[in-house]
Each structure stands twice: as structure tokens, then as C-alpha cells.
Amino acid sequence: MKLLQRSLVARIVASLLAISGMALISIVVTMAVAGGSQGDAAAINVAGSLRMNTYQIVAALQRYQHQPTDAHEAAVRVYAERFGQRLESEELTGAIPRSEAHELRKQYRLILTRWYNELGPHVEEVIDTRQLRGGQLDRTLDDLVGDIDTMVTQLEENTEAKIRLLSALQILFLGLTAVVVAIALYDIRHNLVLPLRQLLVLARQATRRDFSHRTKLTGRDELATLGRTFDNMAEQLASSYAELEARVARKTQELERSNQVMRVMHDGSRSLYGGGNDLCASAAPMLRHIEQLLEIGPIRLSLNDPYDDRQIPILATQSARRPAYCRDHDCHACLLDPHPLNLPDTEEGECLLLPVSVGDEMLGTLEIWHPRNQRLSDSVRRLLNALADQLATAVYLQRRIEEEQHVSLINERTVIARELHDSLAQSLSYLKMQVARLERMQAKNAPRESQTAVFDELRTGLNSAYRQLRELLTTFRLKLEGPGLQSALRQAAEEFSERMGAPVELHYDVPPHLLNPNEEIHVLQIAREALSNTHKHAEAHWASVTVSFEQARIRLSIEDDGVGLEDDVSPPMHYGLVIMRDRAQTLGGDLVIVNRPGGGARVELTFTPQTARLITRQPASTSPVHEQGN
């Protein structure tokens, strides 16, 4: 019973079994009643034939009485025997109930009694005496016919009762079936169809992301349990979906905030990487904006002293006063907030310490303070790590720039010193030796003609030294004023074009930043010395300077259409040419001076730049004259 109350399937199966059972019972009862009614028609026919047989017996007796022949006697006996057979036939006795208390059984017994006790003996008596007593026979015949009619009527009533019973049973089972079907339909409608509709509505609303609908099913059957499960599932989905929407909203907000922070960092990188040495003015506005976006702060940046094992505070946002290490009192980057936070001095603040490093080089630390109850998400931590990396890159680049500037300054001084050593110092050394020679000649009272030759050499040396000094000043002035070798060569070409009164062409095809400052000075000096010789000795109407880079070698060519050399070989040792060859040797190249086939001379320098050789520049060896001069 509890199973039927809890299981909808069990109730439906019970209803189907009840309907099937009643249909089976109805069929069985119908078959039983129909089987019980089988032979009733035959019995009624036999009972009705008994009346005819009775009249036949009486008629045969009357014929026998008037004409007692053997034929008539035989006819009487045949009719009597037929009556007895029909009275005891299976068709008639089979339709008679076996219960002795049944009226039909009693009526049958009465007819048997009348036949065997009254009409049968009377027939035998008539056959034996050949005398028919009409009054008694008629009474017996009427009683027997009446009894037979009564039995026929009872047989008909018995058959009609069976039919009525069958109809009543059919109506009963039909009514019971209708009641069971009605109950099943009611149960199916209220416990199957309506819950299914509610479940379909809930499923349809769930597909539309509406989890507010509830089935509100009661009961303990399968669909009620399924409905309550769906209600719980919808409630959990609603809470999960709301949580997911809130999480998506938070993630979207974090992404938007991260995007804004990345934009601030991108925009701040321009001033950070191009802000010179003023890290405060370039980084403080960016850090303050990031604090506002991420709701954190203050942020403090400390850098390691590369020469001392200590950290130096460089930058602090939301500062109440100007730091003691401030180098620029016109900068107010740390004093923009009139209400600084004091989280580090309270228990509400928590510090996130990030390393400011490039590779294995530790540059400093970045302190980021935030409220203790505000947990930093992974995305915020990644942004802060990116901020620390950006500051580390800026500090690293700033230090490298300072180092490069320092190295460039040292290299420039080295180049100047080398140029002074290779040109002016040689001349001064030569003059010093000539002065010492003159002192010895005066001490020995040498002839005046000998001293005059020394004076002439001193005058020539002083003029050469003065000229070299002017060339060096011009060269360094060109180098400092121009952006590189090409500009310096262009200015030199314009200068000698004016001095010669003839065009000086320049053809320059060298990749940028290929030559170091020392190589640029040597190439420029060789070109100027060659143009100076062209101006002084060539009597040229045209000159050209070509600088190209081919097969990892620099080629410098200075050509003119002047008088050329006396023969097709390099000129003898000349002071300017000696310096040019010394510069070529310093560059590790070859210097060739020859006549051009079309007239004029060509000075050609070829060497491999150090950047192409990817080797460290080696210091140039000094000649014995230099060492003696120093």
C-alpha cells in the first residue's frame, strides 16, 4: 500500500492490471455463463416435443382402441418409448440443475412421476385391456401437459436468468472498468501530465537563463521527487549562475582595471625611458595613477648602491614631507597628496615586497602597501610584477646610459689624446730635439751657417705643428657639431671645395653606427690630409671622396684630376703621408697612393672595422719616435 502511494509507476501498473483482471474475469464469467446456457435451447425443444409426443400417444391409443391391430399397438409402444427416451434424454437432463431443491428439478421429478406412475401404467393397461378410460386419461394427460408446460416455462426462465446474470455481470465489470479507468486518468492527469508540464516549463525557462520558476510538486511519487530535485537544481543553478555573473563582473572589472593600468604603464614608459636622470618626475605620476586604479599605496622604491652595500630610498608616493635625499627642490612629485596614508604605521597595512632586478642583477626593492583586509588578486600581483620589471628596466637603462656616456667621454678623451700624441706631440718632440741640437751647437760655437739650417728646420716644424693644430681643431669641431662621419665629411668637402675653387664630390654608403669614434677620426683625418695635399700640390679642377662598405671592409678613396705623381709609385717619405700611413696602420688597413689612368692621383684606404671583426679594440703601438718624444 505504501508502494502504491509513493510510486506513480506502481499505480499505473496496478490500474492496468486491475483493468486487465476485470476484463479477464468478465471474459471467464461470460464463457462460464455461456457454457452453462449451452443446451438450454435443445432442452426447451425437447421439453416442447414432449407435449407433442403426449398427444401422439393419446391419439395412437385411441386408434388402437378402435382398431386394435399390431400396427397400432406398435405405434403406441413406439410413441411411449420415444416419450420415455426424450424425458430421460441428455439434452433435457443436462439443462436440469442437479440441486434437488431447485424448482426445475422438482418439476422434472413430478413429470417423471406422472409418466411412470400415471400415464405409463395407463398406456400399458390400455394395451393389455384394449379399453380406454377417457375421463381419467384426459385428466392425466392435462396434468402431464400442464407439468410439461410448467417445466418449459421454468427452462425458459432459467435461460433468461442466465442471460440477465450475464448482462448484469457485463454491466458490473464495465462499470468497475470505467471507475478504474477514471481513477487512472485522474491519477495520470494530476500526478503525471501536470507535473510533466511543470517540469517542461521549468526546463524551458532554464534554457532562457530564468531559474526563478519552481514546480512546487507535492507527494512521494517519482515525478514529485523529480520535481523537488529540479527545484533544488534550479535554485542551485540560480545561485551558481548569479555567482558566475558576479565573478564575470568582477573579472571584467579587473580586466578593465588591468587594461587601464597597462595603458598607464605604457604611457608612463615614454617618460620613464626618456626622462633622463629624473626618475621621480617620470615615475611618480605613473605610480600615483596606478595606486588610484588598484586602491593601494603608498609605493616606495629603493635602489642598491652599486659601490656600497646599502639601499638608498629613491621614490615614495603619498609622502608627508620632502625626502631628505631629494636632489631637486623644484620637483613636487612626492608632495601632491595633502592627506597621505599612514598604513605602514598601523596594523591595518600589509606590505608586498617585490625585487627590482634585471636577470641576476639585483637593482633594488619595491614596497607596495595595501590594506590588510584587501587581498591582492593574481592579476594585480602580475601587474605589480610587471611594474617592478618596468622600473628595473628603466633603472638599468639609465645606469647603462650613464655608463655609456662615461665610456663615450673617456673614449673621446682617448681619441683626442691619441690625435695629439700622433700629430702635435710628434712635431713638438721633433722641435725639442732640434732645440737640444741647437743648444749643443751653440755650446760648441758652431758656425752660423749650421745654426741657420737648424733655425730653418725649427721654423718649418713650428709651421707644421701650427698647421696640425689647426687641422685637429677643425676636425674636433666638425666631429662635435655633426651627427657622425658623413656630416663631418660633407662639411670637409664643402670647406675644401671653397678653398680649391673646384667641386669636391662626396659619395657615402656605409651602414650607421658601423665605425667607432676612433675609427671615424682616423678616416676623417686621412680624408682631410688627402684633400689638403690635393689643394696644395695637385692643381686639380675636380675631386671626390668615396666611402663604401663592401665584403666586410671599409674603402675610402680620394681622387682628383690634377697633375698626379711624378711616377706611378707612392711619393717618398713626407711628413703628412707618414701620419696618414701611421693612421692606416692603427686601423689595421692598407693605404695606397697611385696615379689615376685618366690623370690625377688616388689615395685609397681599406680596412676592416672593429664592429665587423667583432673583436675588442687593441691599443695602438707607439713608434720609437713617439716614445722618445714622450
Side-chain angles (χ1 to χ4, degrees):
M1 194 65 180
K2 291 183 179 180
L3 180 62
L4 291 177
Q5 292 178 355
R6 295 180 180 179
S7 176
L8 178 62
V9 176
R11 292 201 300 270
I12 295 176
V13 172
S15 300
L16 294 176
L17 290 177
I19 295 173
S20 302
M22 286 186 291
L24 181 62
I25 294 173
S26 175
I27 292 172
V28 172
V29 171
T30 300
M31 292 176 64
V33 174
S37 299
Q38 188 176 6
D40 288 350
I44 292 173
N45 291 332
V46 171
S49 66
L50 288 176
R51 289 181 296 183
M52 181 60 68
N53 205 172
T54 302
Y55 291 127
Q56 289 176 351
I57 292 172
V58 174
L61 286 174
Q62 290 176 355
R63 287 193 300 270
Y64 179 75
Q65 182 180 4
H66 294 296
Q67 192 178 359
T69 59
D70 293 336
H72 289 160
E73 180 182 357
V76 172
R77 289 187 181 278
V78 169
Y79 287 133
E81 184 179 357
R82 183 181 298 172
F83 185 87
Q85 291 176 354
R86 289 181 176 177
L87 185 61
E88 294 182 359
S89 65
E90 184 66 28
E91 289 86 355
L92 182 60
T93 57
I96 303 300
R98 299 187 181 276
S99 177
E100 296 296 334
H102 199 276
E103 295 296 331
L104 187 57
R105 170 63 68 174
K106 292 178 180 180
Q107 188 66 27
Y108 178 70
R109 292 292 183 186
L110 179 60
I111 292 173
L112 286 176
T113 302
R114 288 185 183 279
W115 167 253
Y116 287 109
N117 295 333
E118 294 180 6
L119 185 58
H122 188 70
V123 171
E124 293 292 333
E125 182 181 356
V126 172
I127 292 173
D128 293 338
T129 60
R130 297 181 180 180
Q131 294 181 359
L132 180 62
R133 293 176 291 183
Q136 185 179 358
L137 182 60
D138 291 338
R139 288 192 299 274
T140 302
L141 181 61
D142 291 338
D143 292 339
L144 182 59
V145 170
D147 292 337
I148 291 173
D149 290 339
T150 301
M151 188 180 67
V152 170
T153 301
Q154 289 179 350
L155 284 173
E156 292 177 349
E157 290 178 352
N158 188 27
T159 302
E160 291 177 355
K162 290 180 180 179
I163 294 174
R164 287 194 299 271
L165 176 61
L166 181 61
S167 300
L169 289 176
Q170 292 291 337
I171 293 172
L172 174 63
F173 284 115
L174 180 62
L176 291 176
T177 302
V179 170
V180 173
V181 169
I183 294 173
L185 290 177
Y186 178 83
D187 191 17
I188 290 173
R189 173 179 174 79
H190 288 276
N191 297 316
L192 179 62
V193 176
L194 293 180
L196 283 177
R197 289 180 180 175
Q198 294 292 332
L199 291 174
L200 287 176
V201 171
L202 188 145
R204 192 177 297 112
Q205 294 299 114
T207 56
R208 298 173 182 174
R209 298 180 181 179
D210 181 11
F211 304 103
S212 61
H213 183 76
R214 299 291 184 271
T215 60
K216 299 179 181 180
L217 297 178
T218 58
R220 291 179 291 179
D221 56 14
E222 292 87 347
L223 287 180
T225 303
L226 185 61
R228 288 192 294 270
T229 303
F230 269 60
D231 290 342
N232 294 332
M233 182 181 66
E235 184 176 358
Q236 294 177 2
L237 285 175
S239 60
S240 299
Y241 192 76
E243 183 179 355
L244 286 176
E245 285 185 340
R247 187 180 301 175
V248 168
R250 290 195 302 269
K251 290 296 183 181
T252 303
Q253 184 178 4
E254 289 182 2
L255 287 176
E256 291 178 353
R257 186 174 60 180
S258 300
N259 188 21
Q260 293 177 358
V261 172
M262 293 298 293
R263 189 181 299 113
V264 170
M265 293 172 61
H266 176 266
D267 295 338
S269 63
R270 300 178 181 177
S271 59
L272 190 63
Y273 296 147
N277 296 328
D278 193 359
L279 186 62
C280 297
S282 57
M286 179 183 68
L287 296 180
R288 191 177 301 279
H289 199 173
I290 291 176
E291 287 179 348
Q292 294 176 356
L293 292 175
L294 300 180
E295 297 179 356
I296 58 175
I299 299 178
R300 296 174 179 174
L301 174 63
S302 300
L303 298 180
N304 295 335
D305 189 350
Y307 306 105
D308 193 2
D309 189 12
R310 65 189 183 96
Q311 283 194 345
I312 301 176
I314 298 299
L315 176 63
T317 62
Q318 302 180 6
S319 178
R321 60 184 180 277
R322 187 181 299 277
Y325 53 82
C326 183
R327 296 176 297 174
D328 186 4
H329 283 203
D330 294 331
C331 174
H332 302 282
C334 298
L335 305 175
L336 294 178
D337 192 356
H339 302 289
L341 296 178
N342 295 321
L343 291 178
D345 300 331
T346 64
E347 296 181 356
E348 299 178 358
E350 186 174 352
C351 179
L352 174 64
L353 192 62
L354 297 177
V356 179
S357 60
V358 175
D360 296 333
E361 184 177 357
M362 188 69 176
L363 301 177
T365 56
L366 184 66
E367 297 181 15
I368 301 173
W369 291 87
H370 61 92
R372 189 177 299 275
N373 56 358
Q374 177 183 343
R375 179 181 176 273
L376 298 181
S377 62
D378 295 336
S379 60
V380 173
R381 289 179 179 270
R382 286 193 293 269
L383 288 174
L384 295 177
N385 286 326
L387 175 62
D389 294 339
Q390 187 176 21
L391 292 175
T393 303
V395 173
Y396 181 79
L397 290 178
Q398 179 178 328
R399 289 186 177 181
R400 296 289 82 78
I401 290 172
E402 292 177 352
E403 292 177 0
E404 288 294 333
Q405 291 176 350
H406 182 67
V407 171
S408 298
L409 180 60
I410 293 176
N411 289 335
E412 190 72 20
R413 292 176 177 175
T414 303
V415 169
I416 295 173
R418 183 181 298 275
E419 289 300 318
L420 292 175
H421 179 274
D422 293 342
S423 59
L424 190 58
Q426 293 183 22
S427 298
L428 294 178
S429 297
Y430 175 75
L431 292 177
K432 182 179 179 180
M433 288 186 292
Q434 293 299 327
V435 170
R437 177 185 174 190
L438 182 59
E439 289 178 350
R440 286 195 298 270
M441 293 177 67
Q442 289 180 355
K444 294 179 180 180
N445 295 321
R448 186 174 182 83
E449 290 79 5
S450 301
Q451 295 184 12
T452 302
V454 175
F455 279 118
D456 292 337
E457 291 180 1
L458 285 174
R459 186 180 299 106
T460 302
L462 286 174
N463 291 333
S464 177
Y466 180 70
R467 182 179 61 84
Q468 292 176 12
L469 179 60
R470 288 174 58 90
E471 289 291 333
L472 287 177
L473 292 176
T474 304
T475 299
F476 292 136
R477 187 177 296 112
L478 291 175
K479 180 63 180 176
L480 294 176
E481 292 177 355
L485 177 61
Q486 183 178 7
S487 177
L489 288 174
R490 184 179 297 109
Q491 295 182 35
E494 294 175 355
E495 175 189 348
F496 281 97
S497 178
E498 293 179 359
R499 291 168 61 180
M500 294 169 53
V504 178
E505 299 178 359
L506 174 64
H507 305 281
Y508 189 89
D509 185 14
V510 177
H513 311 295
L514 181 64
L515 301 177
N516 58 40
N518 186 42
E519 292 172 338
E520 290 182 352
I521 290 294
H522 285 306
V523 170
L524 179 61
Q525 285 290 69
I526 292 174
R528 290 185 63 84
E529 183 66 27
L531 289 176
S532 177
N533 291 334
T534 300
H535 169 59
K536 293 179 179 179
H537 310 292
E539 300 179 3
H541 300 85
W542 167 86
S544 70
V545 179
T546 303
V547 185
S548 61
F549 181 68
E550 299 174 358
Q551 298 181 353
R553 290 177 67 84
I554 291 290
R555 176 177 174 272
L556 170 65
S557 177
I558 301 94
E559 299 178 308
D560 61 69
D561 59 351
V563 297
L565 303 175
E566 295 180 358
D567 51 9
D568 196 15
V569 295
S570 298
M573 295 300 292
H574 186 271
Y575 193 73
L577 297 180
V578 171
I579 296 178
M580 291 172 62
R581 288 191 176 92
D582 187 58
R583 292 183 185 278
Q585 183 180 1
T586 302
L587 293 174
D590 300 326
L591 182 69
V592 178
I593 305 174
V594 295
N595 285 328
R596 295 174 64 242
R602 180 174 70 247
V603 178
E604 185 172 294
L605 168 68
T606 56
F607 70 97
T608 301
Q610 291 183 359
T611 52
R613 293 198 302 263
L614 297 178
I615 60 176
T616 305
R617 183 181 60 191
Q618 300 295 332
S621 60
T622 58
S623 63
V625 177
H626 299 165
E627 293 177 358
Q628 183 179 358
N630 292 337

